[in-house]
Amino acid sequence: MSAPVDAFVGLGSNLDDPARQVRAAFAELDTIDATRLVAASPLYRSAPVGPADQPEYVNAVAWLHTGLEPDPLLDALQSIETRHGRVRGQHWGPRTLDLDLLLYADRRIDTRRLVVPHPQMHQRAFVLVPLHDIAPDTFLPGLGPLETWMNRVDRAGLRADPPAGRD
Ligand code: ROI
């Protein structure tokens, strides 16, 4: 095991009480071996990217400190997905829980299994906005400051869950 590093995970669900899936997943991320949940972003409702004939998503981002290397961390994420009843079906289809490794330390990784930074993260408001909530100074290796992408991304279709301004 190596010295702990920062890693960021994108959470998404659009089946079987999505907000419950995402909240439970935060707690499970904190139980991964040699890994601690540093921060959990607010939850957002987002219109589906990809096929439109599926329910809207709940999305969020988790900040982890982990002593695991990327591959064992990915194994742990996939086992949490499986426990949530994730079935790999239609490409870009609905899912009970999706856990994407977005960022791992300041590394760029490109293997058969894993591409980090996550290839579409800089174009997706449902990733950028919750990431910015918990870690605004983040730098995306090979892509530049998070702030730059925040200013470019289209936020239509994304809204806070629960909506702000009510208590
Ligand atoms: N769309 C939204 N809004 N949120 C997601 O998490 C998400 N995940 C996916 C696809 C199907 C691409 N669309 C999504 O995997």
Side-chain angles (χ1 to χ4, degrees):
M1 202 112 60
S2 29
V5 299
D6 292 316
F8 291 90
V9 173
L11 297 83
S13 170
N14 73 342
L15 289 178
D16 197 8
D17 194 348
R20 183 177 59 84
Q21 301 286 346
V22 167
R23 290 204 179 89
F26 277 133
E28 289 165 72
L29 290 169
D30 197 41
T31 70
I32 296 174
D33 189 35
T35 299
R36 180 167 67 81
L37 178 68
V38 176
S41 81
L43 273 48
Y44 288 86
R45 301 248 163 211
S46 66
V49 169
D53 59 339
Q54 55 178 322
E56 72 172 358
Y57 279 79
V58 170
N59 285 110
V61 169
W63 179 353
L64 306 179
H65 265 171
T66 184
L68 297 182
E69 289 294 325
D71 271 302
L73 179 59
L74 185 62
D75 292 336
L77 299 181
Q78 290 181 347
S79 87
I80 295 172
E81 288 177 341
T82 303
R83 268 188 268 139
H84 282 249
R86 169 79 183 269
V87 180
R88 286 176 188 273
Q90 182 199 347
H91 183 59
W92 279 23
R95 60 268 324 271
T96 44
L97 183 65
D98 195 13
L99 298 176
D100 289 333
L101 184 54
L102 302 171
L103 298 170
Y104 183 92
D106 55 4
R107 284 179 47 187
R108 295 173 75 177
I109 302 167
D110 191 348
T111 65
R112 199 175 48 79
R113 239 190 128 194
L114 189 58
V115 181
V116 175
H118 188 279
Q120 285 99 31
M121 67 172 291
H122 60 294
Q123 295 160 338
R124 292 180 167 178
F126 67 78
V127 175
L128 297 179
V129 171
L131 175 59
H132 188 265
D133 287 338
I134 56 174
D137 298 329
T138 298
F139 189 87
L140 314 183
L143 291 164
L146 171 60
E147 198 70 44
T148 305
W149 296 102
M150 280 291 286
N151 294 329
R152 291 183 192 168
V153 78
D154 177 6
R155 292 179 212 200
L158 188 74
R159 59 184 210 279
D161 177 50
R166 282 192 345 202
D167 48 303

